[in-house]
Amino acid sequence: LQEFRLDNGPAIFFFDQVQQPVVKIDVLFKAGKWFETKNGVSNLTASMLEKGTPTKSSAEIANTFDQCGASLEITPGFDFVSVSLYSLTKKLNEALPLFIEILRFSSFPQQEFKQLTDIQLQNIKVNNEKNSHVASKVIRKSVFGSGHPYGNSMEEDDLKKTEQQDLINFYQTCFSPFEIYV
């Protein structure tokens, strides 16, 4: 394990013991539910990262990663958001610039935002009919309270009150990497 610190703050942890033709880069952001300004904005912002940049549409992003044998995994959580790139080592030079562009210059296109909110609205309706989902919400609310980030869940009203600009503001405020694992 090697550890470096970039001039702008984030620590980079490099694991070089694994000798495989694949690279995984995890970038962690202090951008989970704990840091939300509006209920659900963390999850929505994370979901929109790969939906467009100033130079690429979501389809172009997906196509580029496919051509590189790479994939992107975005995991929003309670305390942080993790964005991971999986790439063939020999194709990393092709995949890495797009990965960095997504992290630094996501554009949150209005059409993609509308499509995502429609899908999320449908997911909320379906999940609210599942006993396990409802039980999980009730338990978290009972344990943590509705005012705590762990105690609340995004509901239909939260989603309907969220605007594209809310995501852009959250992205600009919270999406600065604090740890990177290679």
Side-chain angles (χ1 to χ4, degrees):
L1 171 68
Q2 297 177 41
E3 182 177 343
F4 308 93
R5 185 156 298 274
L6 297 178
D7 292 340
N8 61 346
I12 298 179
F13 301 94
F14 183 73
F15 299 88
D16 59 354
Q17 301 90 347
V18 181
Q19 301 299 320
Q20 297 292 325
V22 178
V23 173
K24 178 183 180 191
I25 301 173
D26 287 318
V27 180
L28 302 180
F29 300 92
K30 291 181 181 178
K33 283 184 68 60
W34 193 260
F35 302 95
E36 287 183 333
T37 52
K38 277 186 164 180
N39 200 18
V41 76
S42 171
N43 188 336
L44 292 170
T45 302
S47 298
M48 285 288 296
L49 290 176
E50 63 184 326
K51 301 300 183 188
T53 69
T55 66
K56 298 246 187 304
S57 68
S58 62
E60 291 170 322
I61 290 169
N63 188 43
T64 300
F65 281 138
D66 283 347
Q67 290 175 353
C68 294
S71 65
L72 196 62
E73 181 179 87
I74 301 171
T75 309
F78 287 110
D79 300 311
F80 61 88
V81 171
S82 171
V83 183
S84 303
L85 172 69
Y86 297 86
S87 175
L88 297 170
T89 304
K90 65 183 180 184
K91 295 285 194 166
L92 183 60
N93 287 340
E94 296 174 46
L96 189 58
L98 180 56
F99 181 63
I100 293 169
E101 182 176 343
I102 289 167
L103 297 179
R104 295 189 63 213
F105 304 110
S106 287
S107 60
F108 303 92
Q110 180 62 39
Q111 180 182 345
E112 296 280 356
F113 173 73
K114 172 71 171 113
Q115 190 174 38
L116 175 65
T117 55
D118 289 346
I119 291 168
Q120 289 290 332
L121 190 57
Q122 189 61 35
N123 286 343
I124 289 170
K125 290 177 182 178
V126 168
N127 284 334
N128 282 338
E129 293 183 16
K130 296 177 183 177
N131 291 339
S132 61
H133 181 78
V134 173
S136 174
K137 286 184 354 182
V138 169
I139 289 169
R140 283 188 288 110
K141 191 176 209 174
S142 297
V143 170
F144 296 104
S146 61
H148 192 281
Y150 299 170
N152 61 48
S153 300
M154 183 170 52
E155 300 295 342
E156 289 183 46
D157 286 343
D158 298 319
L159 188 57
K160 290 175 182 176
K161 293 176 186 173
T162 302
E163 299 176 1
Q164 176 191 25
Q165 190 61 46
D166 296 322
L167 278 59
I168 293 168
N169 293 344
F170 188 74
Y171 171 74
Q172 291 171 343
T173 303
C174 295
F175 275 80
S176 178
F178 75 95
E179 288 181 345
I180 302 170
Y181 296 86
V182 181

mmCIF file of all heavy atoms in Angstrom, residues 52-70:
data_model
loop_
_atom_site.group_PDB
_atom_site.id
_atom_site.type_symbol
_atom_site.label_atom_id
_atom_site.label_comp_id
_atom_site.label_asym_id
_atom_site.label_seq_id
_atom_site.Cartn_x
_atom_site.Cartn_y
_atom_site.Cartn_z
ATOM 1 N N GLY A 52 -24.328 13.061 -18.616
ATOM 2 C CA GLY A 52 -23.876 14.039 -19.592
ATOM 3 C C GLY A 52 -22.806 14.963 -19.056
ATOM 4 O O GLY A 52 -22.717 15.198 -17.849
ATOM 5 N N THR A 53 -21.966 15.416 -19.972
ATOM 6 C CA THR A 53 -20.943 16.422 -19.689
ATOM 7 C C THR A 53 -21.062 17.468 -20.798
ATOM 8 O O THR A 53 -21.835 17.269 -21.741
ATOM 9 C CB THR A 53 -19.522 15.808 -19.698
ATOM 10 O OG1 THR A 53 -19.193 15.429 -21.042
ATOM 11 C CG2 THR A 53 -19.416 14.607 -18.765
ATOM 12 N N PRO A 54 -20.306 18.539 -20.722
ATOM 13 C CA PRO A 54 -20.393 19.522 -21.822
ATOM 14 C C PRO A 54 -20.015 18.947 -23.195
ATOM 15 O O PRO A 54 -20.446 19.462 -24.218
ATOM 16 C CB PRO A 54 -19.400 20.601 -21.392
ATOM 17 C CG PRO A 54 -19.386 20.522 -19.898
ATOM 18 C CD PRO A 54 -19.519 19.050 -19.603
ATOM 19 N N THR A 55 -19.239 17.847 -23.233
ATOM 20 C CA THR A 55 -18.807 17.305 -24.528
ATOM 21 C C THR A 55 -19.430 15.964 -24.880
ATOM 22 O O THR A 55 -19.282 15.504 -26.005
ATOM 23 C CB THR A 55 -17.268 17.136 -24.567
ATOM 24 O OG1 THR A 55 -16.882 16.143 -23.619
ATOM 25 C CG2 THR A 55 -16.557 18.451 -24.276
ATOM 26 N N LYS A 56 -20.121 15.315 -23.929
ATOM 27 C CA LYS A 56 -20.649 13.981 -24.193
ATOM 28 C C LYS A 56 -22.053 13.807 -23.628
ATOM 29 O O LYS A 56 -22.354 14.241 -22.526
ATOM 30 C CB LYS A 56 -19.758 12.918 -23.531
ATOM 31 C CG LYS A 56 -18.326 12.871 -24.032
ATOM 32 C CD LYS A 56 -18.058 11.568 -24.742
ATOM 33 C CE LYS A 56 -16.614 11.363 -25.130
ATOM 34 N NZ LYS A 56 -15.988 12.359 -25.936
ATOM 35 N N SER A 57 -22.897 13.120 -24.398
ATOM 36 C CA SER A 57 -24.229 12.755 -23.928
ATOM 37 C C SER A 57 -24.110 11.455 -23.128
ATOM 38 O O SER A 57 -23.071 10.793 -23.139
ATOM 39 C CB SER A 57 -25.168 12.532 -25.119
ATOM 40 O OG SER A 57 -24.774 11.366 -25.837
ATOM 41 N N SER A 58 -25.197 11.067 -22.474
ATOM 42 C CA SER A 58 -25.166 9.813 -21.711
ATOM 43 C C SER A 58 -24.901 8.617 -22.627
ATOM 44 O O SER A 58 -24.169 7.695 -22.258
ATOM 45 C CB SER A 58 -26.462 9.617 -20.921
ATOM 46 O OG SER A 58 -27.566 9.531 -21.791
ATOM 47 N N ALA A 59 -25.449 8.634 -23.825
ATOM 48 C CA ALA A 59 -25.221 7.540 -24.778
ATOM 49 C C ALA A 59 -23.753 7.498 -25.209
ATOM 50 O O ALA A 59 -23.166 6.415 -25.326
ATOM 51 C CB ALA A 59 -26.128 7.698 -25.991
ATOM 52 N N GLU A 60 -23.166 8.663 -25.442
ATOM 53 C CA GLU A 60 -21.749 8.709 -25.835
ATOM 54 C C GLU A 60 -20.843 8.246 -24.697
ATOM 55 O O GLU A 60 -19.837 7.573 -24.932
ATOM 56 C CB GLU A 60 -21.361 10.120 -26.279
ATOM 57 C CG GLU A 60 -22.003 10.533 -27.583
ATOM 58 C CD GLU A 60 -21.831 12.006 -27.905
ATOM 59 O OE1 GLU A 60 -21.890 12.836 -26.971
ATOM 60 O OE2 GLU A 60 -21.635 12.316 -29.085
ATOM 61 N N ILE A 61 -21.207 8.582 -23.468
ATOM 62 C CA ILE A 61 -20.440 8.131 -22.309
ATOM 63 C C ILE A 61 -20.484 6.610 -22.225
ATOM 64 O O ILE A 61 -19.447 5.943 -22.101
ATOM 65 C CB ILE A 61 -20.966 8.776 -21.008
ATOM 66 C CG1 ILE A 61 -20.613 10.273 -20.997
ATOM 67 C CG2 ILE A 61 -20.412 8.072 -19.776
ATOM 68 C CD1 ILE A 61 -21.295 11.075 -19.902
ATOM 69 N N ALA A 62 -21.675 6.049 -22.303
ATOM 70 C CA ALA A 62 -21.832 4.590 -22.231
ATOM 71 C C ALA A 62 -21.077 3.909 -23.371
ATOM 72 O O ALA A 62 -20.387 2.901 -23.157
ATOM 73 C CB ALA A 62 -23.310 4.218 -22.265
ATOM 74 N N ASN A 63 -21.183 4.449 -24.560
ATOM 75 C CA ASN A 63 -20.514 3.867 -25.729
ATOM 76 C C ASN A 63 -18.988 3.915 -25.580
ATOM 77 O O ASN A 63 -18.302 2.943 -25.878
ATOM 78 C CB ASN A 63 -20.954 4.590 -27.003
ATOM 79 C CG ASN A 63 -20.452 3.902 -28.244
ATOM 80 O OD1 ASN A 63 -20.486 2.681 -28.350
ATOM 81 N ND2 ASN A 63 -19.970 4.686 -29.199
ATOM 82 N N THR A 64 -18.468 5.024 -25.105
ATOM 83 C CA THR A 64 -17.024 5.151 -24.918
ATOM 84 C C THR A 64 -16.514 4.139 -23.910
ATOM 85 O O THR A 64 -15.501 3.470 -24.152
ATOM 86 C CB THR A 64 -16.659 6.585 -24.478
ATOM 87 O OG1 THR A 64 -17.090 7.507 -25.486
ATOM 88 C CG2 THR A 64 -15.157 6.740 -24.267
ATOM 89 N N PHE A 65 -17.196 4.017 -22.780
ATOM 90 C CA PHE A 65 -16.777 3.033 -21.782
ATOM 91 C C PHE A 65 -16.875 1.610 -22.341
ATOM 92 O O PHE A 65 -16.001 0.779 -22.098
ATOM 93 C CB PHE A 65 -17.572 3.169 -20.492
ATOM 94 C CG PHE A 65 -17.113 4.298 -19.610
ATOM 95 C CD1 PHE A 65 -18.032 5.109 -18.962
ATOM 96 C CD2 PHE A 65 -15.765 4.565 -19.410
ATOM 97 C CE1 PHE A 65 -17.613 6.149 -18.144
ATOM 98 C CE2 PHE A 65 -15.330 5.601 -18.590
ATOM 99 C CZ PHE A 65 -16.261 6.399 -17.958
ATOM 100 N N ASP A 66 -17.921 1.322 -23.090
ATOM 101 C CA ASP A 66 -18.058 -0.006 -23.694
ATOM 102 C C ASP A 66 -16.887 -0.305 -24.628
ATOM 103 O O ASP A 66 -16.331 -1.400 -24.606
ATOM 104 C CB ASP A 66 -19.369 -0.126 -24.471
ATOM 105 C CG ASP A 66 -20.576 -0.313 -23.585
ATOM 106 O OD1 ASP A 66 -20.394 -0.602 -22.381
ATOM 107 O OD2 ASP A 66 -21.702 -0.160 -24.088
ATOM 108 N N GLN A 67 -16.518 0.661 -25.444
ATOM 109 C CA GLN A 67 -15.413 0.468 -26.381
ATOM 110 C C GLN A 67 -14.084 0.256 -25.663
ATOM 111 O O GLN A 67 -13.183 -0.376 -26.205
ATOM 112 C CB GLN A 67 -15.308 1.655 -27.339
ATOM 113 C CG GLN A 67 -16.439 1.725 -28.336
ATOM 114 C CD GLN A 67 -16.370 2.971 -29.200
ATOM 115 O OE1 GLN A 67 -15.559 3.857 -28.990
ATOM 116 N NE2 GLN A 67 -17.252 3.036 -30.196
ATOM 117 N N CYS A 68 -13.959 0.789 -24.454
ATOM 118 C CA CYS A 68 -12.727 0.634 -23.669
ATOM 119 C C CYS A 68 -12.751 -0.615 -22.796
ATOM 120 O O CYS A 68 -11.764 -0.899 -22.109
ATOM 121 C CB CYS A 68 -12.527 1.851 -22.754
ATOM 122 S SG CYS A 68 -12.228 3.388 -23.595
ATOM 123 N N GLY A 69 -13.854 -1.320 -22.788
ATOM 124 C CA GLY A 69 -13.975 -2.452 -21.874
ATOM 125 C C GLY A 69 -14.011 -1.980 -20.430
ATOM 126 O O GLY A 69 -13.523 -2.643 -19.526
ATOM 127 N N ALA A 70 -14.592 -0.813 -20.220
ATOM 128 C CA ALA A 70 -14.644 -0.194 -18.897
ATOM 129 C C ALA A 70 -16.092 -0.081 -18.441
ATOM 130 O O ALA A 70 -17.021 -0.150 -19.249
ATOM 131 C CB ALA A 70 -14.006 1.194 -18.937
#
